[in-house]
Amino acid sequence: MNQAGRRHEKRAGDRAGYRAGGRAGAVALLLVSAMALTACGAGSGSDGTPDLSSGSRKGQSSTGGGQPAPDAAAPETGRSAAPEGDAESGASAAPDVKAPDYLSTFALDVDTASYGYARRTLGDGRLPAAEDVRPEEFVNSFRQGYERPEGNGFSVNIDGARIGSGTGGGGGTGASDWSLLRVGLATKAAPPASERPPAALTFVVDISGSMAETGRLDLVRKSLTILADELRDDDSLSLVTFSNEAETRLPMTRVKGNRNRIKDVVAEMEPAQSTNVEAGITRGYEESVEGHREGATNRVVLLSDALANTGDTEAEGILKKIDSARREYGITLFGVGVGSDYGDAFMEQLTNKGDGNTTYVGDETQARKVFVDQLPAHLEIRARDAKAQVAFDRKNVRQFRLIGYENRKVADEDFRNDSVDGGEVGPGHTVTALYAVRLREGASGTVAKATVRWLDPKTRKAREETGTATTGAVDTTLWGGENDRLQVAAVAAYFADRLRGGDLPGAPGLGELASRASGLAESTEDSAVEKLATAIGQADRLQRGAGTDDEPEPSEGEIG
């Protein structure tokens, strides 16, 4: 194993505690009212007692005052609904265990890096580590076809279908009783480049020794050279590099008249020594504050393989050092991951806590997509601290299970507590949450009501939108139906679940998933879905021990 690999392995072990609660807890078994109910996001104690807490994300502060969404105060286990009557009477609940509720609350997430890195790993002939697989990032890597809002808020789209039992097996007991519910949130498409606010970008570039590998620093150089031609004259750019120490290579500089200077500075970057991410981010935020522009989008962009081995190597400790600058100036952090050995978990923690998001690039084609098609158009923030809360109707829903979002959970009572951290969403983004839902016999009427809450980035005023799904919304058959985009989302979610050893109801085997993805690639004429089919096929062969002869494909990072 090379040096970078050993560092990554050690850091992965150090971060095992961070992942274990989210990943293992997502499939923990709860016993409620003599029925085995599957939980998502909630685990069980060592004595078998169900843990019904929501597992809140810690925000910037905890001032109280939060409350659930309207019409959402009915009981639920958080992930599995108790039989009718049990929650009201409380007869079967222990005195010190709170009654189950019917709420699911999480911070929005537009990251796609987990899927991109998984595709890179599979292309290299390896299965991704289970702790690096986040189903929501797989799903959010694909276009969803949602209606967009006319204004600057969100549209709320809810649909679904009956799951049934996949012919590839793996459905488990009662799979035919389950449905898939898709909660989709979308922002208005990005305006033309000429209409967006100017940008003040500070690029923090990893030039440590591990970045010498092909596809790392060389790819970063190409990416920044491409971007120098794409930014507007009134945009500004600064460049910080770091290895064992950080250095400012270019202070905040207007692009107009300086494109060649910017390219020259980028071309001079060469690999050096250790990976002190702490030093790089700290210096990057100092430069961003120094070059802060009122009325502009001020952002720090970290480009790294995220294999930190010098200085503070914990995301929370690093971001504490720049917390005041992050809050006072509203500077967001965008992470771009590179490299075959990549600190995915570390980068995700940094950007989640840094009010930003992350993606992964595998080659020049993908770099062009991110730095030409996506970054310039999506620099602006449309929603800050955005959260979603889905309230399931206790009369019609017997069980439900959120697929993914373990790291984005928010306590139900903190839904309206605007001091608790949420997610940042830009123009043209879509956010999808998939639920496996088991309806009660004879169910009719409302299944779920979804509410999204966010802060206007300029006024900081809270806004909300809601949407409702009835039993008619989940009455069609998933596979072979007319909703191709729902099927693509289902394939992506089931694929992620298979990679991390999950047990979702009705999940087809990898062979069947690959076949379905191939058919959907034809019907949607979407090259991203075709690459999904390739990745599933590679995973299927690797799990069967057959290996793969396929060349690595560029990773995806769709903005729907």
Side-chain angles (χ1 to χ4, degrees):
M1 180 183 294
N2 60 28
Q3 183 178 3
R6 286 193 295 271
R7 290 200 303 271
H8 179 67
E9 182 177 56
K10 179 181 183 298
R11 277 184 297 281
D14 294 340
R15 291 192 298 271
Y18 167 81
R19 288 292 183 199
R23 299 292 179 237
V27 292
L29 191 67
L30 299 180
L31 296 178
V32 179
S33 301
M35 291 179 12
L37 301 181
T38 306
C40 174
S44 296
S46 59
D47 60 354
T49 303
D51 175 11
L52 303 180
S53 64
S54 296
S56 62
R57 291 180 72 223
K58 295 186 184 301
Q60 297 170 352
S61 64
S62 182
T63 60
Q67 57 181 304
D71 303 328
E76 172 240 355
T77 62
R79 285 72 194 148
S80 304
E84 285 191 65
D86 290 0
E88 292 94 328
S89 67
S92 62
D96 58 344
V97 177
K98 68 178 182 181
D101 62 44
Y102 275 65
L103 297 177
S104 173
T105 310
F106 58 93
L108 301 197
D109 186 2
V110 296
D111 291 353
T112 59
S114 176
Y115 174 65
Y117 184 47
R119 289 195 57 237
R120 168 63 186 265
T121 303
L122 290 166
D124 287 343
R126 298 177 289 123
L127 288 167
E131 62 268 21
D132 289 336
V133 176
R134 293 182 291 279
E136 68 274 18
E137 297 187 22
F138 279 52
V139 173
N140 285 328
S141 294
F142 297 93
R143 297 181 181 91
Q144 301 290 333
Y146 300 140
E147 290 185 6
R148 302 274 181 183
E150 295 183 1
N152 289 329
F154 286 89
S155 64
V156 181
N157 307 261
I158 312 181
D159 60 3
R162 294 192 307 274
I163 294 175
S165 298
T167 59
T173 303
S176 60
D177 297 334
W178 289 80
S179 297
L180 195 69
L181 187 74
R182 179 175 64 161
V183 177
L185 310 172
T187 56
K188 186 179 178 181
S194 60
E195 297 180 10
R196 67 166 172 81
L201 306 177
T202 298
F203 289 90
V204 178
V205 180
D206 184 348
I207 58 168
S208 62
S210 62
M211 291 290 287
E213 176 191 305
T214 300
R216 298 193 186 196
L217 187 56
D218 61 319
L219 185 57
V220 171
R221 288 195 207 95
K222 291 176 182 177
S223 300
L224 293 182
T225 300
I226 290 169
L227 185 64
D229 289 326
E230 294 298 320
L231 292 175
R232 293 192 328 223
D233 286 348
D234 61 342
D235 292 331
S236 301
L237 182 150
S238 63
L239 180 65
V240 170
T241 59
F242 68 92
S243 54
N244 57 320
E245 296 180 347
E247 177 184 357
T248 300
R249 299 292 187 99
L250 183 71
M252 192 64 73
T253 302
R254 290 294 175 102
V255 172
K256 184 178 181 179
N258 290 298
R259 295 182 195 275
N260 289 335
R261 179 187 175 195
I262 292 170
K263 292 177 183 179
D264 289 342
V265 173
V266 168
E268 292 170 358
M269 296 188 300
E270 293 293 339
Q273 303 174 37
S274 303
T275 310
N276 191 337
V277 177
E278 175 195 1
I281 290 181
T282 301
R283 176 65 67 86
Y285 270 82
E286 291 172 352
E287 290 296 328
S288 186
V289 169
E290 181 69 22
H292 183 269
R293 292 174 58 185
E294 290 292 336
T297 300
N298 296 272
R299 178 169 292 191
V300 172
V301 182
L302 173 64
L303 299 101
S304 175
D305 59 14
L307 301 177
N309 61 7
T310 303
D312 194 335
T313 59
E314 295 298 324
E316 188 168 353
I318 291 172
L319 291 176
K320 277 183 179 178
K321 296 177 174 61
I322 50 87
D323 188 61
S324 61
R326 179 171 64 91
R327 288 200 200 189
E328 182 177 352
Y329 294 93
I331 299 168
T332 56
L333 178 63
F334 178 51
V336 180
V338 297
S340 58
D341 188 18
Y342 164 57
D344 172 72
F346 181 53
M347 183 71 90
E348 189 222 8
Q349 292 175 65
L350 281 173
T351 56
N352 280 356
K353 295 175 182 294
D355 295 333
N357 57 289
T358 183
T359 190
Y360 178 88
V361 297
D363 67 2
E364 187 173 354
T365 300
Q366 180 62 11
R368 183 172 293 276
K369 180 175 184 178
V370 169
F371 287 95
V372 175
D373 299 337
Q374 295 180 356
L375 183 58
H378 300 273
L379 284 170
E380 188 180 4
I381 298 295
R382 286 281 172 83
R384 284 190 178 274
D385 288 324
K387 310 181 190 85
Q389 187 167 85
V390 182
F392 289 88
D393 192 309
R394 61 179 17 254
K395 298 186 299 296
N396 291 317
V397 176
R398 183 178 180 184
Q399 296 173 250
F400 73 89
R401 183 174 178 182
L402 175 61
I403 302 173
Y405 288 96
E406 289 88 0
N407 296 341
R408 308 293 282 172
K409 292 181 295 183
V410 174
D412 295 336
E413 62 271 20
D414 283 336
F415 177 68
R416 285 205 173 92
N417 184 348
D418 295 327
S419 68
V420 171
D421 195 20
E424 277 57 48
V425 182
H429 279 117
T430 62
V431 179
T432 299
L434 290 178
Y435 289 87
V437 178
R438 193 177 187 187
L439 299 181
R440 299 189 188 278
E441 185 176 353
S444 178
T446 301
V447 173
K449 179 176 182 178
T451 304
V452 57
R453 180 181 176 90
W454 73 98
L455 301 182
D456 183 281
K458 294 180 181 179
T459 67
R460 296 285 175 163
K461 290 184 178 180
R463 296 180 58 190
E464 292 185 3
E465 290 288 345
T466 62
T468 302
T470 65
T471 49
V474 295
D475 198 36
T476 59
T477 300
L478 174 62
W479 304 119
E482 296 181 356
N483 196 333
D484 288 344
R485 290 297 172 184
L486 175 60
Q487 293 180 64
V488 170
V491 168
Y494 283 133
F495 178 35
D497 193 64
R498 285 291 185 187
L499 288 176
R500 64 178 191 170
D503 60 350
L504 283 175
L510 287 175
E512 183 183 342
L513 284 175
S515 176
R516 292 195 183 281
S518 295
L520 289 165
E522 292 184 11
S523 61
T524 60
E525 298 182 345
D526 189 341
S527 62
V529 182
E530 183 177 352
K531 292 168 185 175
L532 172 63
T534 298
I536 298 172
Q538 290 169 334
D540 186 32
R541 289 189 291 275
L542 287 168
Q543 284 198 350
R544 290 187 287 106
T548 177
D549 297 324
D550 296 286
E551 291 295 323
E553 292 275 4
S555 59
E556 285 304 308
E558 300 286 351
I559 293 180

